């Protein structure tokens, strides 16, 4: 097991200009979420999402932005909020933003639905989520991997709170929050996934009681 290192060490920042007209990877999505959720509320408020859209679509120099561009941008923000803010609370939950930004299909579903998970599958998972290629999943990479674990269970809500809770359970299980191939293999073992699902289900049931 790897030694503990800083949660976001050596991980690249988010360059939203490169995210135009493409499906986001799970790691890119988590980078966007944690970059713009400034108050760490677990939601993207209107002003936070508006800033993301501004960074994504408008030119950097404010003097280059015409009144027509501002009007078009504002209308697009309102349209997206109206379309994907499912509970109409004026802010995005993680699952709502994932639909709005059209993140990639859940990569883990390709693996965990196989009859057996082999070493080559573990290596492919590491390669997929390891954006800085240090052969450890932590920070945004860890959130992306755990988020996809949560997304793979339809009865568990894909939310900031649930991803954070799953990360804590995994850290309790491993004694670490930096995942190497051995840790990934352990987490994806059927009994580990069943235990994680059971604990998240219990929390969900208590929260809705």
């Amino acid at each position: 097991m790897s030694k503990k290192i800083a949660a976001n060490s050596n991980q690249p920042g988010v360059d939203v200009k490169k995210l135009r007209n493409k499906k986001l990877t799970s790691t890119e999505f988590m980078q966007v979420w944690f970059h713009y959720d400034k108050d760490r509320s677990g939601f993207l408020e209107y002003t936070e999402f508006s800033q993301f859209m501004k960074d994504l679509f408008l030119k950097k120099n404010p003097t280059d932005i015409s009144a027509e561009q501002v009007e078009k941008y504002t209308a697009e923000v309102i349209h997206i909020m109206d379309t994907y803010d499912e509970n109409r609370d004026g802010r995005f939950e993680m699952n709502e933003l994932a639909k709005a930004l059209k993140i990639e299909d859940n990569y883990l579903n390709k693996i965990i639905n196989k009859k057996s998970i082999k070493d080559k599958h573990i290596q492919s998972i590491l390669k997929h989520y390891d954006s800085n290629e240090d052969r450890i999943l932590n920070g945004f990479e860890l959130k992306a991997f755990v988020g996809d674990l949560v997304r793979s269970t339809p009865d568990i809500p894909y939310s900031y709170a649930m991803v954070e809770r799953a990360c804590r359970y995994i850290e309790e299980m491993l004694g670490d929050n930096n995942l190497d191939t051995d840790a990934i293999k352990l987490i994806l073992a059927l009994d580990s996934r069943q235990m994680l699902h059971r604990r998240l289900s219990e929390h969900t049931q208590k929260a809705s009681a």
Side-chain angles (χ1 to χ4, degrees):
M1 196 72 62
S2 61
K3 293 180 180 179
K4 279 185 177 290
I5 57 177
N8 294 310
S9 66
N10 301 320
Q11 291 192 345
V14 59
D15 183 354
V16 296
K17 300 296 183 186
K18 294 181 179 179
L19 304 182
R20 291 178 178 176
N21 303 318
K22 70 182 288 288
K23 280 191 174 183
L24 275 65
T25 67
S26 299
T27 303
E28 289 169 338
F29 174 76
M30 285 299 178
Q31 286 177 305
V32 167
W33 180 272
F34 284 98
H35 182 77
Y36 289 96
D37 181 20
K38 300 294 186 183
D39 59 1
R40 294 296 182 264
S41 66
F43 302 91
L44 237 60
E45 316 289 345
Y46 174 85
T47 54
E48 294 169 333
F49 178 68
S50 180
Q51 184 61 55
F52 165 70
M53 290 290 288
K54 185 181 295 184
D55 292 345
L56 184 62
F57 290 111
L58 299 184
K59 296 178 181 179
K60 289 185 177 180
N61 187 347
T63 61
D64 292 336
I65 302 172
S66 67
E68 183 181 358
Q69 285 177 307
V70 171
E71 183 178 354
K72 183 178 179 181
Y73 146 77
T74 303
E76 182 67 13
V77 171
I78 293 172
H79 169 70
I80 292 175
M81 291 292 290
D82 285 345
T83 302
Y84 294 100
D85 180 19
E86 296 172 354
N87 58 3
R88 296 292 187 266
D89 62 355
R91 59 188 184 179
F92 274 131
E93 297 183 26
M94 191 169 275
N95 68 314
E96 294 171 337
L97 187 67
K99 293 175 183 176
L101 299 187
K102 298 177 174 59
I103 66 174
E104 66 181 0
D105 294 336
N106 190 339
Y107 187 79
L108 287 183
N109 282 343
K110 302 174 183 179
I111 308 294
I112 61 179
N113 292 325
K114 294 182 179 294
K115 290 184 178 179
S116 64
I117 300 177
K118 303 181 184 300
D119 287 343
K120 67 178 182 179
H121 300 137
I122 300 299
Q123 292 294 337
S124 72
I125 289 171
L126 179 65
K127 182 178 180 181
H128 182 77
Y129 293 98
D130 183 19
S131 60
N132 63 353
E133 299 181 348
D134 65 352
R135 299 194 59 78
I136 295 291
L137 300 187
N138 59 16
F140 302 123
E141 302 163 344
L142 173 65
K143 305 290 187 187
F145 170 73
V146 174
D148 280 354
L149 269 180
V150 172
R151 283 206 293 157
S152 71
T153 54
D155 57 326
I156 303 297
Y158 180 52
S159 66
Y160 168 86
M162 199 58 65
V163 171
E164 289 292 301
R165 185 169 296 276
C167 285
R168 289 198 297 272
Y169 290 157
I170 287 173
E171 185 173 1
E172 289 174 11
M173 183 195 315
L174 302 175
D176 200 350
N177 59 2
N178 300 282
L179 309 186
D180 57 14
T181 53
D182 289 339
I184 294 170
K185 188 173 184 177
L186 178 61
I187 291 167
L188 293 184
L190 182 59
D191 56 347
S192 296
R193 285 188 283 124
Q194 289 175 337
M195 182 189 71
L196 180 63
H197 179 260
R198 184 171 61 254
R199 294 188 67 177
L200 293 176
S201 294
E202 289 171 354
H203 175 77
T204 302
Q205 291 167 6
K206 288 179 182 177
S208 60

